[in-house]
Structures are given as structure tokens and as C-alpha cells.
Amino acid sequence: MNVGDLIRVVKNDMSLVLKEQGAKDNKFFDQFGIILSTHNYSRRWYRISLPAGTYFARGDSIEVIKKC
């Protein structure tokens, strides 16, 4: 997964997909968005932009729809 790829959130788990600012919510599930940046902690995390806002998502909670 690279910056600019079109993705879809496939896991409805608020511990794997975290809202960047504000209170936790689950409005991210089954939405399409774009990868903004990648972060390599103990696992690969991605900063993603969705219609519901900007989120941090763990790699196993999203799938690539179209590579950039």
C-alpha cells in the first residue's frame, strides 16, 4: 500500500481505525478513501482520508481498491 492508493475500510473496529481529531466514532466502516501517509511503528499504520474525516488505520483493517 502506497500514498495515493484508493482504499476501503473492511474492519469495523475502533481500536484499529482511530479518528485523528475528536471523539472516537465508527463512521469510517465500509467507506472509500485515500492513503495520505504511512507510519511504521510495531505494525504498519496509515493516515487515511475518508468522507467522514481523517483517520489512522492499521494495515489489516483496510484493503486496496486501486493502486496509484
Side-chain angles (χ1 to χ4, degrees), residues 5-33:
D5 287 353
L6 179 65
I7 56 96
R8 181 172 71 100
V9 178
V10 294
K11 289 189 179 177
N12 190 12
D13 187 343
M14 289 190 294
S15 66
L16 301 178
V17 183
L18 308 169
K19 190 161 185 152
E20 185 175 51
Q21 293 181 345
K24 286 185 176 182
D25 64 32
N26 65 347
K27 297 177 182 177
F28 56 82
F29 183 63
D30 208 27
Q31 288 196 13
F32 295 91

Side-chain angles (χ1 to χ4, degrees), residues 2 6 12 16-17 20 23 26 28 30 38 43-46 50 56 58 61 65 67:
N2 298 313
L6 179 65
N12 190 12
L16 301 178
V17 183
E20 185 175 51
N26 65 347
F28 56 82
D30 208 27
T38 62
R43 292 186 180 219
R44 174 100 39 195
W45 285 78
Y46 299 91
L50 301 170
F56 287 100
R58 203 167 79 182
S61 66
I65 302 298
K67 292 234 180 232

